[in-house]
Amino acid sequence: MHHSRIEEQGVSIRDYLDLLLEGKRTVLLSLLVVLSVTSIYLVLAPRTYKADALLRIDKNKALLAANLRGDSNSMSSEAENPRAQREVEILRSRSVLGKVVEDLSLMVEYSPRYFPIIGETLARKHDKHDGIAQPWWGFSRWAWGGEKLKIAQFEVPDRYLDKEFTVVALADDQFQLRDPKDRILAEGPLGELISADIGEIKPVLIQVAELAAHPGTEFELTRKTSLAAIETLQKAFSVQEVSKDTDILSVELKGRDPQQLAQSVNDIANIYVNATVNWESAEASQKLDFLESQLPLVKENLEKAEAELSAYRQKHGAVDISTEAEILLKQAAEMETLGIQLRQKFEEQNQRLESAHPDMMATNAQIKRVNRKLAALEKRIKDLPKTQQNIVSMSRDVQVNTELYTSLLNSAQEQRIAAAGSLGNSRIVDFAVIPEKPYWPKPGLLLVIAGLLGLSFGSALVFLRHSLQRHDNYPALLEYQVGLPLYAAIPHSKKQRQLTRLIDKGKDRETGVLVSHDPLDISVESLRGLRTTLEATLASDESKVIMVTSPAPGMGKSFISTNLAALLASIKKRVLIIDADMRNGRLHETFSTDKQPGLSDLLSGKATLAEVIVSLPDLGIDLIPRGTMVLNPAELLVLGELAETLGQLKSFYNHIVIDSPPILGATDAAIMGKNADATFLVVKESRYTAQEMEVSFRRLQQVGVKPSGFIINDMKEGSSYYPYYGYAYQRSDLQQKNPPSWLASLQAMGEWLNKPEDGEYLPEIDESEIPDDSVRI
């Protein structure tokens, strides 16, 4: 049976919950750590503000302009599509943000120098309406709240760009400038442009417009390049469409200075709107210049054509034009007018577009089609009589130049109107206002996220620890694998842990047995169950020799042996416990006795049985300590007539408990096991494997010892490995309850009046019913 293998049952949600309950301390500790770190961050983190504005992109403006310019075909497709994405890129361009950086002098960065870690938090808590905060004693160089600085101009040589200078406030509206090496460069009053020589061709120029601080307060001052300032602004700047196809843009800027944020956002919006107006006006002016340059030429051609037609008519008189000639004249005039207009359009586009542009290619294709139609019409005109051909040709020139001149006049007037009334295609819907509350950090959101992270991290640690543990040590699984029954599962005892620490430090001179210190401990209750099981299984044996061993050290076999012996003695049994670990036995420390003479002295013939037995009247048991440490305990057990010694002891004791060495560390347990009526393997939860149990089982079987079962020690509360049921009375349940205060007052009054108390006020208490902690259960 012990060679068989059974598959572990599927893991259920209850198993995961049990595992989390078992590791609840780890989860709670992780949660507490994450929440603590988050709380510290919320207190110390600098506040970030956000200012925003709304812009409206008028896409119908393009269609309106197209109708005025007679260019509806090419502009309609652009007007139908949203232009938001293109405008976003324009807003983020260096041409717009660079103007903002220059106007607001964002290349110059300055801020008060706060006390490390907590200084900025304390300064933020200070109410600015109370003026400048008083510095802490001895810390006047740092700012504590309410300080102000405004730099009107700050220029440094190129090699000192991005280097940190220091401005120190002095008395009487004076200030001091120090270089990055903390050397004094200059001193001067506010409002005056001061020049300081720093050993370069270009001096340092500084002009402080405003300074409010206690004398000695320092400010950090840095000059950046325009490109670096633009890149910094781009990182803090964001533009996005409010919703799809609305053409409403939200312009946002994040930073630490609320007033500067609002001013920067409004400046960006105004610069962008003004730029679109200037672009529209410049485009209209460019087209107007082109039209005005063509008007004199067209007018001259018109006058020349009219003069030639008039001279021909005077020379040849009136000539009748047939219906066919009139139709050809009208069509030719229209085609020629359209061709001229297309060529003008091509020249205008050529000034601002590349030859491979789709609009340029489309215009060129239209010109070719018009030329082909015009060539066909001219061929038909040549079939007319000579006189009519001349009249048609001259009349066509007059008509074409007249229509072209009229069209140019109309277009020029429209461009004048467009240039004068150009408003751009953007509008500012909402200007930015100074933010009152910080945008970041958000306490509610961060605490919720921290709570989830803490619980997740703690749970992950629990599952990770579980995954790294051995998983072949399920008690039910071991019963099948090893072929040994489980006799008891002893829960973890905090009291026993304290006793062990005191014994290790040598501070406890009383007995270290848990039964005597805390008989109501849940571990003791589980050991009582083990005692009951042993009484039932060993009832038929004339004498009961119980050997307790373990696969390896540190699994609690001595704890089981000592407390089991004490519990057997509590039911009026004569019990002897033998410390058979003649190498490292420590039962003499547990019972606060001398370690010699003991078992090794008895087996070597240096002491008698009466000399090695130590009586422990407080516990009602006797002890044989390990004795003098020897190097060959196995030989002593074989040659020292152990069986005869146990035979003598059986005649007097009801139970003999042997605390033997680990079975895998020495052969002592195998030798002693042949003289035991019951042998138990003690293992500690999460410290053993099925392989260790099987090897221990086979080691005992090889010498003819059949173990009775195994005991799991130090089970954690809520362990998912083995569900146990423990019940123990609390001391509070057994202690006598004090009578109420009003009842005590009534009793004292009765005694003072020398009157007997009324029985129904004070119930009689039978002292025999009050349990004594010293009585063993």
Side-chain angles (χ1 to χ4, degrees):
M1 178 70 71
H2 66 276
H3 292 294
S4 64
R5 296 291 183 267
I6 61 173
E7 294 183 359
E8 182 184 346
Q9 295 181 354
V11 180
S12 64
I13 297 178
R14 176 61 184 272
D15 296 329
Y16 288 121
L17 293 178
D18 291 341
L19 185 61
L20 291 176
L21 289 176
E22 181 183 351
K24 59 182 179 294
R25 291 186 178 179
T26 301
V27 176
L28 293 178
L29 180 61
S30 174
L31 177 62
L32 181 62
V33 170
V34 175
L35 288 178
S36 300
V37 172
T38 304
S39 300
I40 295 174
Y41 171 77
L42 288 175
V43 173
L44 300 180
R47 289 342 186 216
T48 301
Y49 295 85
K50 180 179 71 173
D52 56 359
L54 286 181
L55 295 177
R56 176 176 178 266
I57 308 301
D58 191 358
K59 62 184 179 181
N60 294 324
K61 176 74 167 53
L63 183 60
L64 178 61
N67 293 331
L68 285 175
R69 299 162 194 162
D71 197 14
S72 59
N73 293 331
S74 63
M75 299 296 294
S76 59
S77 59
E78 181 181 2
E80 291 172 359
N81 297 324
R83 304 176 59 187
Q85 188 59 38
R86 186 178 66 182
E87 304 304 322
V88 167
E89 299 303 324
I90 295 176
L91 278 165
R92 294 182 55 84
S93 64
R94 288 193 295 270
S95 61
V96 175
L97 298 184
K99 189 68 167 57
V100 177
V101 169
E102 183 179 351
D103 292 346
L104 301 181
S105 299
L106 299 182
M107 298 87 70
V108 181
E109 294 183 352
Y110 48 88
S111 63
R113 181 168 291 167
Y114 297 108
F115 189 80
I117 302 177
I118 63 172
E120 186 173 358
T121 302
L122 296 176
R124 187 169 58 248
K125 298 295 183 181
H126 177 73
D127 190 354
K128 62 181 181 180
H129 298 94
D130 296 336
I132 304 173
Q134 292 294 330
W136 289 9
W137 180 81
F139 298 101
S140 59
R141 60 173 296 193
W142 284 289
W144 300 98
E147 293 81 7
K148 294 181 181 180
L149 175 66
K150 185 177 181 181
I151 303 296
Q153 184 177 353
F154 183 56
E155 301 289 341
V156 298
D158 293 342
R159 61 175 297 188
Y160 285 93
L161 292 172
D162 296 327
K163 298 293 182 65
E164 185 178 293
F165 289 76
T166 302
V167 174
V168 183
L170 302 177
D172 300 328
D173 292 334
Q174 299 281 324
F175 72 93
Q176 183 183 89
L177 178 65
R178 298 180 182 177
D179 66 359
K181 297 182 179 180
D182 205 30
R183 295 175 300 188
I184 299 177
L185 293 179
E187 294 183 3
L190 302 182
E192 181 178 334
L193 181 62
I194 298 176
S195 176
D197 186 10
I198 200 171
E200 300 287 336
I201 299 176
K202 180 181 177 181
V204 175
L205 299 177
I206 184 172
Q207 182 179 6
V208 179
E210 182 181 0
L211 177 60
H214 289 291
T217 305
E218 298 181 357
F219 295 82
E220 300 172 355
L221 179 62
T222 305
R223 168 75 186 201
K224 303 174 65 175
T225 63
S226 298
L227 182 59
I230 292 174
E231 291 177 351
T232 302
L233 185 59
Q234 285 177 335
K235 292 179 181 179
F237 180 65
S238 63
V239 185
Q240 59 183 356
E241 195 172 4
V242 175
S243 59
K244 187 177 181 181
D245 296 339
T246 58
D247 288 332
I248 301 295
L249 299 182
S250 175
V251 181
E252 297 180 354
L253 185 62
K254 299 174 184 177
R256 299 176 60 180
D257 189 344
Q259 186 174 0
Q260 188 183 70
L261 286 177
Q263 187 176 359
S264 299
V265 171
N266 290 331
D267 202 5
I268 291 173
N270 287 322
I271 289 174
Y272 166 72
V273 172
N274 293 334
T276 57
V277 172
N278 294 335
W279 293 335
E280 293 286 343
S281 179
E283 183 179 0
S285 299
Q286 184 180 7
K287 293 181 178 180
L288 180 60
D289 293 340
F290 174 77
L291 293 175
E292 289 180 346
S293 65
Q294 295 295 318
L295 278 173
L297 299 177
V298 176
K299 184 178 180 181
E300 182 180 355
N301 293 334
L302 175 60
E303 292 176 351
K304 182 178 179 181
E306 289 176 346
E308 291 179 353
L309 178 60
S310 177
Y312 188 83
R313 287 181 180 276
Q314 290 177 2
K315 181 177 181 181
H316 297 85
V319 179
D320 295 332
I321 302 177
S322 64
T323 304
E324 181 182 3
E326 289 182 358
I327 295 175
L328 293 175
L329 174 62
K330 182 177 180 181
Q331 292 178 352
E334 291 177 354
M335 286 297 102
E336 189 169 355
T337 303
L338 181 58
I340 294 174
Q341 291 177 348
L342 288 174
R343 285 192 293 272
Q344 290 178 348
K345 178 181 178 181
F346 184 83
E347 293 177 3
E348 185 270 331
Q349 290 178 342
N350 192 32
Q351 296 179 3
R352 55 187 179 90
L353 300 176
E354 298 291 338
S355 59
H357 194 276
D359 292 345
M360 294 280 289
M361 297 175 66
T363 304
N364 195 20
Q366 291 176 358
I367 292 175
K368 291 180 179 179
R369 287 196 298 270
V370 170
N371 290 336
R372 286 197 297 270
K373 292 181 180 180
L374 186 59
L377 291 174
E378 289 179 351
K379 184 177 180 181
R380 294 177 60 186
I381 292 174
K382 289 181 180 180
D383 295 336
L384 297 174
K386 186 66 175 178
T387 305
Q388 290 188 0
Q389 288 183 22
N390 294 334
I391 291 296
V392 169
S393 177
M394 294 180 182
S395 299
R396 184 185 67 184
D397 292 341
V398 173
Q399 185 175 353
V400 168
N401 285 290
T402 301
E403 292 180 0
L404 184 59
Y405 184 70
T406 304
S407 176
L408 287 176
L409 286 176
N410 294 333
S411 297
Q413 187 62 28
E414 290 173 357
Q415 290 300 329
R416 293 189 185 95
I417 297 174
S422 180
L423 298 177
N425 64 333
S426 303
R427 305 288 187 275
I428 299 178
V429 179
D430 284 335
F431 284 94
V433 296
I434 299 176
E436 299 178 354
K437 296 181 179 180
Y439 167 76
W440 187 264
K442 298 179 180 179
L445 177 62
L446 286 181
L447 289 176
V448 170
I449 295 176
L452 294 176
L453 287 178
L455 293 175
S456 302
F457 184 69
S459 302
L461 287 179
V462 171
F463 287 115
L464 178 62
R465 182 178 61 189
H466 174 69
S467 64
L468 296 177
Q469 290 175 348
R470 298 164 174 173
H471 293 284
D472 57 350
N473 55 1
Y474 287 86
L477 184 62
L478 287 173
E479 288 183 307
Y480 284 94
Q481 290 179 316
V482 184
L484 290 178
L486 175 65
Y487 263 68
I490 311 302
H492 174 76
S493 174
K494 296 179 181 179
K495 182 65 177 179
Q496 179 62 35
R497 187 177 181 182
Q498 296 174 0
L499 292 175
T500 303
R501 289 179 177 176
L502 291 175
I503 293 174
D504 293 339
K505 294 179 180 179
K507 297 181 179 180
D508 194 347
R509 298 311 301 166
E510 298 181 358
T511 176
V513 181
L514 180 62
V515 173
S516 63
H517 285 271
D518 193 357
L520 302 180
D521 191 88
I522 190 171
S523 298
V524 178
E525 292 295 331
S526 299
L527 288 169
R528 288 192 179 96
L530 175 62
R531 179 190 65 185
T532 303
T533 305
L534 291 177
E535 286 294 310
T537 56
L538 301 179
S540 61
D541 293 340
E542 184 176 338
S543 296
K544 294 93 177 180
V545 179
I546 305 170
M547 187 180 75
V548 182
T549 185
S550 62
M555 293 194 175
K557 59 180 179 58
S558 298
F559 166 73
I560 301 295
S561 302
T562 54
N563 286 277
L564 178 60
L567 288 173
L568 289 172
S570 67
I571 55 176
K572 307 304 181 183
K573 300 288 184 178
R574 295 189 301 275
V575 181
L576 172 68
I577 181 170
I578 301 176
D579 189 354
D581 189 354
M582 288 178 281
R583 296 179 179 85
N584 299 313
R586 298 182 61 188
L587 291 188
H588 60 280
E589 297 179 359
T590 303
F591 294 107
S592 300
T593 63
D594 295 330
K595 63 180 177 181
Q596 54 186 353
L599 181 61
S600 61
D601 302 295
L602 175 64
L603 296 178
S604 62
K606 296 180 181 179
T608 63
L609 190 60
E611 292 175 343
V612 298
I613 296 178
V614 180
S615 179
L616 303 172
D618 292 339
L619 295 174
I621 63 176
D622 293 338
L623 166 69
I624 296 180
R626 76 177 192 193
T628 306
M629 186 179 67
V630 294
L631 300 177
N632 55 345
E635 287 77 2
L636 282 180
L637 292 173
V638 175
L639 301 176
E641 300 179 348
L642 175 65
E644 290 77 3
T645 302
L646 291 177
Q648 297 178 20
L649 295 173
K650 286 181 183 180
S651 61
F652 181 76
Y653 293 101
N654 299 111
H655 295 286
I656 300 174
V657 180
I658 300 177
D659 182 12
S660 74
I663 183 65
L664 298 182
T667 188
D668 303 2
I671 298 173
M672 289 182 289
K674 294 185 291 186
N675 301 298
D677 300 316
T679 301
F680 293 97
L681 286 170
V682 177
V683 293
K684 189 174 183 180
E685 184 189 28
S686 302
R687 286 278 307 277
Y688 64 93
T689 63
Q691 184 180 5
E692 291 176 345
M693 293 286 291
E694 288 178 342
V695 173
S696 302
F697 181 77
R698 287 197 299 269
R699 183 73 60 85
L700 292 172
Q701 276 189 328
Q702 289 172 357
V703 296
V705 178
K706 183 180 180 180
S708 303
F710 68 97
I711 301 169
I712 296 182
N713 183 38
D714 201 27
M715 293 282 289
K716 300 299 186 295
E717 182 180 357
S719 174
S720 58
Y721 293 150
Y722 185 82
Y724 66 89
Y725 299 90
Y727 180 81
Y729 288 104
Q730 301 295 328
R731 292 187 180 274
S732 59
D733 300 331
L734 300 177
Q735 290 178 347
Q736 178 185 357
K737 296 182 179 180
N738 296 326
S741 58
W742 63 271
L743 192 60
S745 301
L746 183 62
Q747 182 179 359
M749 184 178 295
E751 293 177 355
W752 182 70
L753 295 175
N754 197 19
K755 295 180 180 180
E757 296 82 16
D758 192 350
E760 70 177 5
Y761 290 106
L762 183 62
E764 295 183 358
I765 300 175
D766 189 359
E767 296 181 356
S768 63
E769 296 179 357
I770 303 176
D772 188 359
D773 291 343
S774 63
V775 178
R776 292 182 295 275
I777 300 176

